[in-house]
Structure formats: C-alpha cells, structure tokens
C-alpha cells in the first residue's frame, strides 16, 4: 500500500478471502498509529454528497471523479475483536466507502453493483466510467489465480 502511495487496501485486492481492509488516511508509513483495520464493515446513515477524483491500487493508472456521501456511519470490528461504531466524515468517510466497496465485491473492484451499494441505498455508490479507457485491464473473479 505505502510503496504505491496508497491510503487503503482491502484483503481481496491481495487475494485474501476476507471482508476487511486497512487504511491510513495520511498514507504515511512513519505514522503506524494512524493505521486502522476494519473487519466485516457495514455502512449506513449516509449524508451529503461530494465529488472528488479517486484512484485505486487495483487500477493504478486510472483516476476519475467519484460521488460519495460526505458523512457515514461505519460499524465493524478491529483486529482485537473490538466493535467499531463511528460516524465519520471527509476523507476518512471516502476511504472507508472505497475500501468497503472492495470488500463487498467478488472481484475486488469498486463497482456500483456491489452489495455495499445495494444495502446502503441512502448513499452514492462508486461509479464506473461511462466508457472504459483503451487498454482497460480485465479483472478476474476473486480466487482465480494466474499462476
């Protein structure tokens, strides 16, 4: 994640079959105290909308505008098994929504048809581009290895 200047990484992006992700909203490897892990996240109570360009470690050369809620409630567990139940906003909300879309997707890709998007109908989902750029990579279903 840090090697590629990322601020979040979902387990299924590295071929692990878990609904979990790690984030560090500053993307600073020298600040491990900012690292947070969310296991089995549930998003609700989305409010406000904001558009911002997003990138993704799964598709490193693609960036585009994505509309998301600016405030959300996230419920999950941390690595110690403690419950997380927080209302968050700003960049933290955006990163949690992006990574939750990954965690909810069988491909590990952020899509508008993810179960997170369907379950949280009161928030904007991660939108796919209207036209795919030339050379757009083909994503394999989770669990399919290319070895």
């Amino acid at each position: 994640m840090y090697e590629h200047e990322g601020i979040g990484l979902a387990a299924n992006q590295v071929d692990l079959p878990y609904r979990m992700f790690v984030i560090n909203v500053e993307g600073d490897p020298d600040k491990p105290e900012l690292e947070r892990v969310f296991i089995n996240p549930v998003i609700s109570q989305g409010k406000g909308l904001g558009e911002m360009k997003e990138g993704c470690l799964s598709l490193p050369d693609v960036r585009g505008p994505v509309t998301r809620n600016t405030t959300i409630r996230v419920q999950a567990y941390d690595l110690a098994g403690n419950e997380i139940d927080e209302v968050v906003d700003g960049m933290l909300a955006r990163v949690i929504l992006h990574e939750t879309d990954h965690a909810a997707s069988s491909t590990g890709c952020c899509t508008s048809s993810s179960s997170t998007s369907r379950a949280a109908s009161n928030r904007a989902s991660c939108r796919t581009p209207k036209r795919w750029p030339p050379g757009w990579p083909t994503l394999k279903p989770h669990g399919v290895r290319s070895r």
Side-chain angles (χ1 to χ4, degrees):
M1 175 174 89
Y2 295 125
E3 183 178 328
H4 299 285
E5 299 178 6
I7 58 176
L9 185 67
N12 59 351
Q13 287 180 278
V14 291
D15 205 27
L16 294 173
Y18 307 111
R19 277 188 31 95
M20 65 183 289
F21 56 86
V22 61
I23 63 171
N24 178 333
V25 293
E26 290 189 16
D28 188 343
D30 294 327
K31 295 185 179 178
E33 68 276 7
L34 297 179
E35 292 174 356
R36 298 194 58 194
V37 174
F38 295 80
I39 301 170
N40 292 330
V42 175
I43 305 298
S44 63
Q45 300 175 13
K47 295 178 185 166
L49 291 177
E51 184 177 273
M52 185 175 171
K53 275 191 175 181
E54 286 188 18
C56 183
L57 294 174
S58 294
L59 305 167
D61 297 326
V62 178
R63 292 184 60 79
V66 178
T67 301
R68 296 191 184 275
N69 283 120
T70 55
T71 302
I72 59 166
R73 177 182 182 195
V74 59
Q75 295 171 288
Y77 295 93
D78 66 15
L79 278 177
N82 300 311
E83 287 188 37
I84 298 169
D85 187 351
E86 299 176 19
V87 174
V88 298
D89 60 9
M91 181 57 82
L92 180 56
R94 179 169 290 277
V95 175
I96 289 171
L97 287 169
H98 181 102
E99 298 306 328
T100 299
D101 279 343
H102 276 295
S105 172
S106 62
T107 62
C109 184
C110 183
T111 66
S112 60
S113 62
S114 74
S115 60
T116 301
S117 298
R118 288 191 307 269
S121 60
N122 63 341
R123 74 164 177 84
S125 62
C126 179
R127 294 190 172 89
T128 55
K130 290 181 180 162
R131 288 192 298 161
W132 299 108
W136 189 264
T138 302
L139 296 174
K140 297 178 188 169
H142 175 70
V144 176
R145 296 179 185 256
S146 58
R147 295 177 220 198

